[in-house]
Amino acid sequence: MTATPLTVPDLGALAPLDVAARVARLQEALPGAGVEALLVTNLTNIRYLTGFTGSAALLLVAPGGLTFVTDGRYGQQAHDQLAAVGVSAAIEVSSDAQRQAVAGAVAAAGVTRLGLEADAVTWAAQRTYDTTWFPEVDLVPTTGLVGALRVAKDDGELARIAAACAVADVALAEVRPRLADGPTEDEFGQELDLAMRRHGADDVSFETIVASGPNGAKPHHRPGHRRIAEGDLVVVDFGALVDGYHSDMTRTVAVGALSPTQQRMYDVVLEAQAAGVAAVAEGVAARDVDRACRAVIDAAGWGHAFLHGTGHGVGLDIHEDPRVGQASTAMLASRSVVTVEPGVYLPEHGGVRIEDTVVVTPDGCRPITLTHKSPAV
């Protein structure tokens, strides 16, 4: 057990987000992508750039300014949220005038090469933009323009992610003893989700994974009606959402005594996870963090049973850049937030995964998931 006190900070007094400065950074990056303006269609990217949290919007980022379009449901919300973070934009809420507003702004700015977010535009939408919205403009697919800005977090973002981690820590500590009472996976998952909400989460980050016994050998098992029993390893992978920002943590809990193989699985994954965390630092290749974890598991003879990458970035999306895996080409940047989550999965014995979320620093990293790693209930 850890001596670190688990508490949730005042969620109403978190450091402010520095939203207003983000658009200028994006505008500076446009020439390097070979475009003069960018039509942002990914809603998470729109939130990052403007603070808008609705479910329908487009944002044109041009050298001369922003054009923001949504529909009538979000007119007042758009004005309020953009003003609250100091973002100035021409806002259009009439469905009939949205195309004219965006196309007119492109023409007025003299844009000849307009970037589209390749990962967020369907083929049908691209054809509409090409033939109807911007027939005289060259449309250029872009990748990662906004995502690259999102990698390094500002103080407000780090505060929200840490708060989401704290909510998850406190919630698990509260309901963990219930595992000894033999709930079903689904019952325990629901209790954990409710505890996160009770401690201030706006929502869960993703569907909570509770995988017991043989189900633990399925890395993304969906909790079902299996009742947790003596001798089970229980993999619990979950996160909280606070003001748009996610947390992610996995702990593996043993109900009753561990078998010799289960104990070895646990020890190997714990060592691998510690090796991965120790490898994290600014300027380190993300794949080297994966290699550090994988080397320990390979040496134990279970390389075949490590079925996924070591981690991923966390922020406004639960999975975002940088990816931490064998094929990653990313270099870790200071103030980025990543997970380190190796695992070993053996159907006849169950599964073990241990995951922390950490903030990358110039000389290492700072874990912000604080729950102890003892397997005891």
Side-chain angles (χ1 to χ4, degrees), residues 56-132:
L58 296 173
L59 178 70
L60 176 69
V61 180
L66 304 180
T67 301
F68 181 100
V69 300
T70 185
D71 61 44
R73 295 172 296 168
Y74 297 116
Q76 190 59 52
Q77 177 180 330
H79 282 90
D80 291 346
Q81 290 185 320
L82 270 65
V85 296
V87 172
S88 177
I91 298 175
E92 178 57 66
V93 299
S94 168
S95 297
D96 294 337
Q98 288 181 8
R99 179 176 66 84
Q100 293 90 329
V102 177
V106 167
V111 172
T112 60
R113 290 176 61 82
L114 174 65
L116 301 180
E117 294 186 296
D119 295 331
V121 177
T122 66
W123 176 253
Q126 190 275 340
R127 298 311 300 153
T128 298
Y129 293 146
D130 187 40
T131 61
T132 306

Side-chain angles (χ1 to χ4, degrees), residues 248-252 265-280 288-297 306 308 310-311 338-344 352-358 365-373:
D248 197 358
M249 173 170 64
T250 307
R251 292 295 185 263
T252 301
M265 291 169 65
Y266 200 91
D267 292 344
V268 166
V269 173
L270 186 63
E271 181 184 351
Q273 205 264 345
V277 170
V280 173
D288 288 344
V289 178
D290 182 270
R291 286 171 179 164
C293 292
R294 210 165 291 278
V296 174
I297 296 174
F306 184 4
H308 50 76
T310 286
V338 298
T339 67
V340 181
E341 49 179 304
V344 168
V352 176
R353 181 164 69 254
I354 300 171
E355 174 187 22
D356 283 323
T357 299
V358 304
C365 69
R366 174 169 57 89
I368 50 176
T369 42
L370 303 180
T371 294
H372 67 82
K373 297 186 177 76

Side-chain angles (χ1 to χ4, degrees), residues 9-53:
D10 181 353
L11 301 183
L14 299 175
L17 296 166
D18 187 16
V19 177
R22 296 169 181 170
V23 168
R25 291 164 54 208
L26 176 58
Q27 289 169 323
E28 291 172 1
L30 296 181
V35 299
E36 299 155 330
L38 178 69
L39 183 64
V40 184
T41 49
N42 179 297
L43 284 170
T44 307
N45 287 343
I46 291 173
R47 177 173 186 161
Y48 177 77
L49 293 168
T50 68
F52 177 73
T53 62

Side-chain angles (χ1 to χ4, degrees), residues 186 193 204-210 220-224 237-239:
D186 186 57
D193 292 352
V204 297
S205 281
F206 51 90
E207 184 179 13
T208 294
I209 295 170
V210 182
H220 273 202
H221 172 72
R222 300 184 70 180
D237 187 347
F238 67 108

Side-chain angles (χ1 to χ4, degrees), residues 157-209:
E157 292 180 292
L158 292 178
R160 282 154 181 77
I161 298 169
C165 289
V167 167
D169 282 326
V170 170
L172 181 60
E174 180 178 292
V175 304
R176 185 176 182 138
R178 277 281 289 131
L179 288 169
D181 299 335
T184 67
E185 295 169 340
D186 186 57
E187 287 169 346
F188 183 77
Q190 290 188 46
E191 291 182 29
L192 180 55
D193 292 352
L194 181 60
M196 286 190 282
R197 289 180 177 275
R198 188 163 54 244
H199 287 287
D202 301 317
D203 200 350
V204 297
S205 281
F206 51 90
E207 184 179 13
T208 294
I209 295 170

